[in-house]
Amino acid sequence: MFVILVYDVGQKRVAKVLKKCRQYLNWVQNSVLEGEISDANLKKLKMELERIIRKDEDSVIFYSLRTTKYSSREIMGLKKGGDENII
């Protein structure tokens, strides 16, 4: 499946959340990652993020698309992030 992940976390946890998410997804912009991920890896990522974030202060949102067939992506301005997965 294709996932877009958006997060808003406390400053002390930003680097940890980004590092963990980049193990599974491509960083595309501040606090935004996207990419293909298996159901098993998505479940694993969610469990690992639960250990990092504080549920009373932080927010992580997953947008899941079963296919990218009917989606498009357009960038206006500066392209941020990278297309590579870092493992």
Side-chain angles (χ1 to χ4, degrees):
M1 83 175 67
F2 187 81
V3 169
I4 299 170
L5 182 148
V6 180
Y7 65 88
D8 183 10
V9 300
Q11 188 176 2
K12 292 180 180 181
R13 294 175 294 283
V14 169
K16 288 181 183 179
V17 169
L18 178 60
K19 184 177 180 180
K20 182 54 62 184
C21 291
R22 287 185 72 178
Q23 292 177 355
Y24 297 90
L25 300 168
N26 300 313
W27 176 66
V28 293
Q29 201 169 55
N30 295 342
S31 304
V32 180
L33 296 98
E34 66 180 20
E36 292 286 336
I37 189 169
S38 68
D39 287 332
N41 278 340
L42 180 59
K43 203 175 274 190
K44 186 176 175 184
L45 174 58
K46 287 179 179 180
M47 287 188 321
E48 292 173 0
L49 288 175
E50 282 182 347
R51 294 186 205 127
I52 299 171
I53 69 167
R54 293 192 55 186
K55 289 186 177 182
D56 59 332
E57 295 180 17
D58 302 330
S59 175
V60 179
I61 301 171
F62 294 88
Y63 296 94
S64 301
L65 296 88
R66 294 288 170 203
T67 178
T68 57
K69 183 176 180 180
Y70 301 109
S71 67
S72 65
R73 183 172 186 250
E74 179 181 349
I75 299 173
M76 292 178 64
L78 180 66
K79 179 181 176 187
K80 293 187 175 184
D83 294 329
E84 73 286 343
N85 269 347
I86 303 203
I87 296 179

